[in-house]
Every structure is written in structure tokens, then in C-alpha cells.
């Protein structure tokens, strides 16, 4: 990173919140292992994060000491279990600045959260904001994960509504030049990714939010990549829904979150039907519990929710401002380091501003599968392929990309190992 | 890891200098196969002359394993009788499904023995099989068409 002198009296780099990466690493048992005879270099956190001992232990302790089903027992274990599950909900609510814990719906992952919201729209929706038919429009973008594309495509097929897309600029940012035309009186919902899992772009949402409010549409952010890495306040962002997924933020798989404004959640139809989501069930029909229970049919992922609570405790202890700053410094370092590799081309912003710690690239004409395979032989774990975001590959005319993604336990030495590995790749395929 | 087991000279050689590549006319049947997890793609055509596969032409994009495998397939099966080709095909599929435990027969498989190492990498087996599955599909279609015509 170019060293700049910041005038006295302004916030200095040293004022930034920091943490000791080595101490953090010591909390992650898996980081001590070897892969193919080399120390593990895990650069696939955008795919799923590793788990600290605190989270692993919290899950084990829950099973060893408190396990019972939630919300349906009078006995002590049932009460403890319910408290643990609801306690996790409260932690999530505080973590994202939700005005009420009842606005936090536990799902199994971000994909379910996105589908749940898409499912609320239809020709017969009771609330006009969710009524959707031919002539209505839904807006997403070309940098979406398939999870934020396919549910809307299916919805449009069911209802005859039209799906529209924000384009991307050459540098991998949202093209907002046609915002006023794209988001208009026919728009019912805009659902876009907060941070791209491929390009790393962090979308500035203020202009879009303002336009969405102007036309009376709803706004959803796919925060799968942002909530793990950046401080989030849903009131500040003035959004209607956000989706994210526990496993990318130090928590177990099998737990995701939908946050929505309470007023909206309570006019939405249930997603799955079953136990725990009803008010009363009669043979003539049923009425449904208010959110969040309305959307949590069946036995929920209790231990996973407890793990998510522990993950949030861990992130809070490190501090999300510090995590975000660590990401930024590491990204700046990595962008510079990758720039030295001949034949390497980065897709996405090439400056560490308005982007997160995820970098996708191609290396000459070498197929990313081959890049990933050689890197794996050196212990370096990266993701290769289309990253469940095929429209991005199409936009930039590449069949596949190699992606390195970092987290709070990633070090500059690991970035160096990646760069050395890429040299090796070039040797094999020279 | 024994990277050279995966990327044998033969494989890299076929990757860098593919045999028989390019789409040609005439052809009896053409297919397009993709590997959805990684986006490897192949378009493959076959021409028949009676019982014989008189041409296999192909074009595609993908990793070194998938591209080299198509080149080896061309060398091995082009000009062969359909039955012979299917026998080799079966041996290759068996090798790829063998998790690295099967000793390949060089008499039958020729350069394709180089793919024995690939069988140890479950994530890459699909890459190696892409063109082979496309060939089987195309030949089956061509044979069916020929029967219709008779
Ligand atoms: C931006 C984005 N959205 C959605 C998802 C889907 O997350 P999950 O598979 O946990 O539902 C991912 C994960 O890959 C993602 O990166």
C-alpha cells in the first residue's frame, strides 16, 4: 500500500482498531493442520469460514448439558434449551441493530431466507406491497449469487412479473446510471447483494435506497458476505429485509438468518407449514403465529443457533470495526502482491476501497481448476469455478475464475504463500 | 501430494497440443455436454462409415484434464469399430471409477493410462469423463439414426 502522510489532527492509521492475528489463529484448531505436507493456507472463507474453539465448545456444551427440544416443554432441559435458542436470537438482533428480536427469523441458510421472502409475493397476497403479477417488476443485479437469482426467476415464472437487472461497470461495480428507469413505479422489490462473493465489491446502497423509497418498493440486501466482515445496522441502512448465513461468520452450517421489518413479516404468509408456526389448528383451517415463529416450522437448528450466538460473541470480542480494518489492510496487501504475478488479471475493484477481502482472478489462459489443483498440492485452499454467480462470468466473458477470500485469521504470510503458489502454477503449465 | 501423478507429461502434452481438435463436416450426430459444477464444456461430433467411427471432431473449453482427455479419446477411438470403441470406453470408465485402485491395461487404453492418477481425485474424475460421455451419447445417436434410415 502506498504510504500516505495524514495531516496531524486527522484520524491516523494507528488509531484504527486492531487485534493480534496470531492470538486469533490460536483459537482455530483447524489452522494447525497440514494439507498435502504443507501448512494449511485457508483462503476460502468466502465459501465457508473456519470455526474457533469457542464455537465448537458452545455446540458441544449445549449437547452435553442442555439438549432438549425448544418451545414445547415444561421441563427444565426444555426451558434451558429454549433460553439458549432465544438467547442466540437476541445476540443476532443486537449484532445487526434490529429494533426487535421478533424481527430475527432463523432459517437454515441465506438461500432459505431469500426464498422465504420471494415466496411472500404473488397475485393473491393480502398486502398490496406483496401483490405481484404481469406488468410488475423485480430488480436484481448481474453480480448476484444464484441464491438471489433463481428464487426471483421462479417467482416471475409463477406470476408473469418481469425480472430486471442492474448491469456492472468494467471495474466490477454496480452500474447505477439507469437507476431511475430501472427502479420505477412498477418495481415491487429490489434485491441486491451487499458484498459480492466474486468481485468483492461492497455496494453503496444510499442512492438505491432513496429511489426505492421514492417509488414505494421494498429493498432486500443479501448480506451473506457483508455481515461476517462489516459492522451492520439495519436501521442505519434503511432496508426492509436482509439475509445472511451462519457458516460464513464462524458459526456452524445449518443456521441462517432473515431479518425483516416486523410490520412486513407479520403480513407475509408462512413459508413452510408444520409445528411451532401456528396459532391454532382446526380441521377447517389454521391461523398462524406472529413472526418469527410463523416462519420457523418444525424443530429448528437449535445447537446451530447456539453456535451462531457464540460466533457473534467471538466477533464482538474482537470487534467488527477491527475485523473490517484487518480485511482492508490485508486486501490492500493482496492486491499489490497479486499485481506482481505475470499474466494475472483481477476481476472486480483493483483498489481496496468499497470492496471486501475477496479477490477473483485469472492467470494467463490456465484453467482455474488447474490453478486450484496445483495450489492445493501446496496446501493453499482456494475456490475455483463460477462461484454460483454465472452471470458475472458471462458479463466478463470468462468461463471460470480462481478466488482467494480472507477473514480475521488470514495473514500476509498466507497471501505470500498464494503468490508463491501461483508461480508454481505458471511453471507447471508454462 | 504427488502432483506429477495427476499432471503426467502425457496429459500436459495432449493439453498443449490437442489431437483432432476442431469441428468438422460431415457428421452423423453432434452433442454438447457441460460439467455444471465447473463450467467445462464440449461440443463433439461423430461420423460413421458402416460399423466404423470415421471421424470424431470436437471443440470445447475447460481444464487441462478435460481437454487432454478429449485429445486422448480422439487418438484412441477415431477410426475404430463402434464395438471396439465401446470396449475401450468401458475400460476407461472403469479406470476412472476405480479410486486409483485399478491397474490400467496399456494394451487397451494407450495414452489414457495416464489418467489413472486422476481417479484418485474425485473432484476431477468428471473432468476426465466429460468428452467420453459426450462420445458415447453421440455414437448412440448416430447408430440409432443409421438404423432408422435402413
Ligand atoms: C452472496 C451470497 N449469497 C448467498 C449465498 C448462499 O449462502 P448459503 O449457501 O449458506 O445459503 C452465498 C454463499 O455462497 C453468497 O456468497
Amino acid at each position: 500500500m502506498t504510504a500516505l502522510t495524514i495531516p496531524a489532527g486527522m484520524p491516523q492509521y494507528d488509531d484504527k482498531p486492531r487485534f493480534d492475528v496470531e492470538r486469533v489463529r490460536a483459537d482455530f484448531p483447524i489452522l494447525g493442520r497440514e494439507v498435502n505436507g504443507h501448512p494449511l493456507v485457508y483462503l476460502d472463507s468466502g465459501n465457508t469460514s473456519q470455526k474457533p474453539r469457542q464455537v465448537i465448545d458452545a455446540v458441544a456444551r449445549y449437547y452435553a448439558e442442555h439438549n432438549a427440544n425448544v418451545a414445547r416443554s415444561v421441563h427444565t432441559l426444555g426451558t434451558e434449551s429454549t433460553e439458549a435458542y432465544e438467547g442466540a436470537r437476541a445476540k443476532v438482533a443486537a449484532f445487526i441493530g434490529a429494533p426487535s428480536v421478533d424481527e430475527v427469523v432463523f432459517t437454515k441458510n441465506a438461500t432459505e431466507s431469500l426464498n422465504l421472502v420471494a415466496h411472500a409475493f404473488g397475485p393473491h397476497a393480502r398486502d398490496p406491497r406483496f401483490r405481484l403479477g404481469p406488468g410488475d417488476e423485480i430488480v436484481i443485479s448481474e453480480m448476484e449469487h444464484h441464491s438471489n437469482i433463481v428464487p426471483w426467476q421462479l417467482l416471475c415464472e409463477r406470476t408473469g412479473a418481469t425480472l430486471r437487472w442492474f448491469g456492472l461497470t468494467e471495474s466490477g461495480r454496480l452500474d447505477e446510471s439507469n437507476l431511475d428507469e430501472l427502479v420505477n413505479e412498477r418495481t415491487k422489490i429490489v434485491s441486491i447483494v451487499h458484498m459480492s462473493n466474486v468481485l468483492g465489491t461492497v455496494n453503496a446502497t444510499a442512492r438505491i435506497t432513496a429511489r426505492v423509497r421514492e417509488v414505494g418498493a421494498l429493498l432486500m440486501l443479501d448480506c451473506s458476505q457483508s455481515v461476517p466482515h462489516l459492522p451492520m445496522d439495519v436501521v442505519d441502512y434503511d432496508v426492509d429485509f436482509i439475509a445472511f448465513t451462519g457458516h460464513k461468520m464462524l458459526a456452524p452450517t445449518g443456521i441462517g438468518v432473515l431479518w425483516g421489518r416486523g410490520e412486513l413479516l407479520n403480513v407475509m404468509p408462512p413459508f413452510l407449514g408444520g409445528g411451532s408456526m401456528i396459532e391454532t389448528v382446526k380441521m377447517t383451517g389454521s391461523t398462524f403465529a406472529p413472526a418469527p415463529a410463523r416462519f420457523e416450522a418444525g424443530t429448528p437448528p437449535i445447537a446451530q443457533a447456539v453456535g451462531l450466538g457464540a460466533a457473534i460473541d467471538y466477533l464482538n470480542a474482537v470487534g467488527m470495526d477491527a475485523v473490517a480494518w484487518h480485511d482492508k489492510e490485508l486486501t490492500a496487501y493482496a492486491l499489490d502482491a497479486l499485481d506482481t504475478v505475470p499474466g494475472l488479471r483481477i476481476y472486480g475493484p483493483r483498489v481496496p476501497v468499497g470492496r471486501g477481502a475477496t479477490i477473483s482472478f485469472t492467470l494467463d489462459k490456465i484453467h482455474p481448476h488447474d490453478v486450484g489443483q496445483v495450489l492445493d498440492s501446496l496446501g493453499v485452499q482456494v475456490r475455483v469455478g463460477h462461484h454460483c454467480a454465472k452471470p458475472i462470468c458471462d458479463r466478463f466473458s470468462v468461463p471460470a475464475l480462481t478466488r482467494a477470500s480472507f477473514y480475521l485469521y488470514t495473514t500476509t504470510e498466507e497471501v505470500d504463500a498464494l503468490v508463491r503458489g501461483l508461480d508454481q502454477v505458471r511453471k507447471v503449465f508454462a | 501430494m504427488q502432483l506429477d501423478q495427476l499432471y503426467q507429461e502425457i496429459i500436459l502434452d495432449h493439453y498443449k497440443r490437442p489431437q483432432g481438435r476442431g469441428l468438422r463436416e460431415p457428421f452423423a450426430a453432434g452433442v454438447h455436454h457441460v460439467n455444471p459444477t465447473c463450467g467445462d464444456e464440449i461440443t463433439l461430433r461423430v461420423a460413421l462409415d458402416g460399423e466404423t467411427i470415421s471421424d470424431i471432431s470436437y471443440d470445447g473449453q475447460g481444464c487441462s484434464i478435460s481437454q487432454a482427455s478429449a485429445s486422448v479419446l480422439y487418438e484412441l477411438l477415431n477410426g475404430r469399430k463402434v464395438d471396439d470403441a465401446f470396449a475401450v470406453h468401458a475400460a476407461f470408465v472403469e479406470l476412472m471409477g476405480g479410486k486409483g485402485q485399478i491397474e490400467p491395461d496399456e494394451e487397451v487404453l494407450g495414452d489414457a493410462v495416464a489418467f489413472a492418477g486422476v481417479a484418485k481425485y474425485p473432484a476431477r474424475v468428471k473432468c476426465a469423463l466429460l468428452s467420453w460421455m459426450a462420445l458415447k451419447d453421440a455414437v448412440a445417436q448416430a447408430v440409432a439414426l443409421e438404423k432408422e434410415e435402413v
Side-chain angles (χ1 to χ4, degrees):
Chain A
M1 200 173 17
T2 327
L4 288 177
T5 314
I6 302 171
M10 306 280 286
Q12 301 291 316
Y13 280 130
D14 287 346
D15 300 338
K16 290 290 178 188
R18 283 195 167 74
F19 58 88
D20 180 349
V21 183
E22 286 309 321
R23 267 187 54 198
V24 163
R25 288 180 69 81
D27 289 331
F28 291 75
I30 204 169
L31 297 181
R33 70 163 274 183
E34 292 197 336
V35 168
N36 296 318
H38 297 268
L40 167 66
V41 175
Y42 187 74
L43 302 182
D44 198 17
S45 292
N47 204 350
T48 197
S49 68
Q50 295 303 345
K51 321 300 174 199
R53 183 169 288 112
Q54 288 83 341
V55 167
I56 300 168
D57 289 352
V59 174
R61 207 174 324 112
Y62 167 78
Y63 279 128
E65 297 172 15
H66 308 290
N67 179 56
N69 211 329
V70 291
R72 46 178 90 161
S73 324
V74 292
H75 54 63
T76 301
L77 290 186
T79 308
E80 288 176 11
S81 196
T82 305
E83 275 169 8
Y85 182 66
E86 293 304 328
R89 195 191 307 280
K91 286 177 188 179
V92 172
F95 192 64
I96 58 172
S100 159
V101 287
D102 292 337
E103 296 179 338
V104 173
V105 177
F106 282 134
T107 58
K108 74 169 184 290
N109 50 31
T111 303
E112 184 185 334
S113 304
L114 289 157
N115 275 276
L116 195 164
V117 173
H119 182 81
F121 288 82
H124 307 300
R126 266 190 301 147
D127 190 285
R129 288 168 295 184
F130 292 95
R131 211 165 293 145
L132 189 78
D136 292 325
E137 296 177 0
I138 292 167
V139 179
I140 60 174
S141 88
E142 281 182 25
M143 66 165 87
E144 300 311 316
H145 188 280
H146 294 167
S147 296
N148 197 29
I149 300 176
V150 183
W152 305 113
Q153 285 178 328
L154 292 172
L155 175 64
C156 287
E157 275 170 28
R158 286 197 300 273
T159 60
T162 304
L163 188 60
R164 301 193 61 191
W165 307 67
F166 277 102
L168 306 184
T169 67
E170 214 32 53
S171 61
R173 302 207 185 261
L174 270 194
D175 179 1
E176 295 179 32
S177 58
N178 60 344
L179 174 64
D180 288 350
E181 189 276 318
L182 191 59
V183 179
N184 58 54
E185 280 68 26
R186 296 182 299 277
T187 309
K188 294 300 242 190
I189 185 166
V190 174
S191 183
I192 54 170
V193 73
H194 188 202
M195 173 180 153
S196 163
N197 62 311
V198 178
L199 304 169
T201 316
V202 175
N203 290 315
T205 53
R207 276 190 62 207
I208 296 170
T209 311
R211 180 62 184 159
V212 166
R213 297 293 169 233
E214 207 171 277
V215 302
L218 297 172
L219 178 64
M220 178 158 199
L221 287 185
D222 174 359
C223 295
S224 302
Q225 297 289 341
S226 58
V227 161
H229 293 266
L230 304 167
M232 166 51 77
D233 186 310
V234 291
V235 175
D236 224 31
Y237 271 85
D238 188 22
V239 287
D240 296 305
F241 300 101
I242 73 169
F244 56 100
T245 197
H247 67 92
K248 293 187 203 287
M249 53 188 291
L250 311 183
T253 53
I255 182 82
V257 174
L258 169 68
W259 170 85
R261 287 186 200 278
E263 174 257 323
L264 292 169
L265 291 176
N266 283 318
V267 299
M268 286 161 57
F271 182 43
L272 300 173
S276 302
M277 50 75 74
I278 43 92
E279 204 166 60
T280 168
V281 175
K282 295 209 173 75
M283 286 173 72
T284 48
S286 305
T287 54
F288 307 112
R294 167 181 308 212
F295 303 106
E296 296 181 2
T299 299
I302 308 166
Q304 290 77 359
V306 169
L308 177 58
I312 287 175
D313 287 343
Y314 190 92
L315 289 169
N316 281 333
V318 175
M320 286 308 290
D321 283 324
V323 171
W325 185 250
H326 169 82
D327 276 3
K328 196 182 193 61
E329 285 193 320
L330 200 59
T331 304
Y333 183 89
L335 287 168
D336 279 357
L338 289 171
D339 218 26
T340 66
V341 179
L344 188 140
R345 171 165 176 210
I346 290 171
Y347 292 78
R350 269 170 285 271
V351 289
V353 178
R355 62 132 50 248
T358 283
I359 304 177
S360 291
F361 56 87
T362 53
L363 185 60
D364 291 324
K365 292 250 177 291
I366 307 170
H367 194 276
H369 259 193
D370 294 318
V371 176
Q373 193 84 54
V374 176
L375 289 177
D376 179 62
S377 75
L378 303 166
V380 180
Q381 316 286 289
V382 296
R383 172 105 190 252
V384 299
H386 54 56
H387 310 281
C388 301
K390 239 177 153 286
I392 295 184
C393 293
D394 295 343
R395 164 64 179 79
F396 291 105
S397 308
V398 284
L401 293 163
T402 304
R403 176 186 76 181
S405 53
F406 316 137
Y407 207 1
L408 73 171
Y409 40 69
T410 311
T411 64
T412 51
E413 289 79 19
E414 291 182 304
V415 174
D416 296 341
L418 169 66
V419 169
R420 280 197 306 276
L422 292 171
D423 280 338
Q424 186 64 32
V425 175
R426 295 184 67 247
K427 281 198 194 103
V428 174
F429 291 97
Chain B
M1 191 199 58
Q2 322 73 353
L3 199 61
D4 355 330
Q5 276 194 26
L6 181 65
Y7 293 122
Q8 295 226 359
E9 275 309 313
I10 301 179
I11 292 181
L12 290 177
D13 228 47
H14 276 280
Y15 173 54
K16 290 171 190 166
R17 281 173 291 276
Q19 308 296 304
R21 196 181 165 92
L23 294 173
R24 289 178 291 277
E25 315 255 350
F27 62 98
V31 297
H32 182 75
H33 280 210
V34 296
N35 180 348
T37 50
C38 57
D40 288 355
E41 295 190 23
I42 190 158
T43 305
L44 185 141
R45 296 173 172 176
V46 294
L48 292 186
D49 179 6
E51 296 280 283
T52 305
I53 302 175
S54 54
D55 191 24
I56 301 171
S57 71
Y58 65 94
D59 201 2
Q61 58 174 22
C63 64
S64 57
I65 304 291
S66 70
Q67 300 305 297
S69 172
S71 169
V72 168
L73 170 138
Y74 170 84
E75 261 196 3
L76 214 52
L77 303 187
N78 197 32
R80 299 280 286 268
K81 290 249 181 319
V82 171
D83 286 350
D84 292 351
F86 277 2
V88 178
H89 190 282
F92 188 71
V93 171
E94 191 197 356
L95 177 65
M96 295 321 303
K99 304 206 162 64
Q101 303 302 313
I102 292 173
E103 197 54 50
D105 182 349
E106 193 159 358
E107 290 283 301
V108 178
L109 284 170
D111 274 3
V113 296
F115 287 83
V118 177
K120 289 190 201 134
Y121 299 86
R124 305 304 293 277
V125 167
K126 266 190 289 180
C127 308
L129 284 176
L130 182 67
S131 53
W132 293 72
M133 291 307 167
L135 176 91
K136 184 140 191 202
D137 190 8
V139 171
Q141 287 186 25
V143 169
L145 283 171
E146 212 165 60
K147 284 208 179 106
E148 266 172 36
E149 278 161 23
V150 173

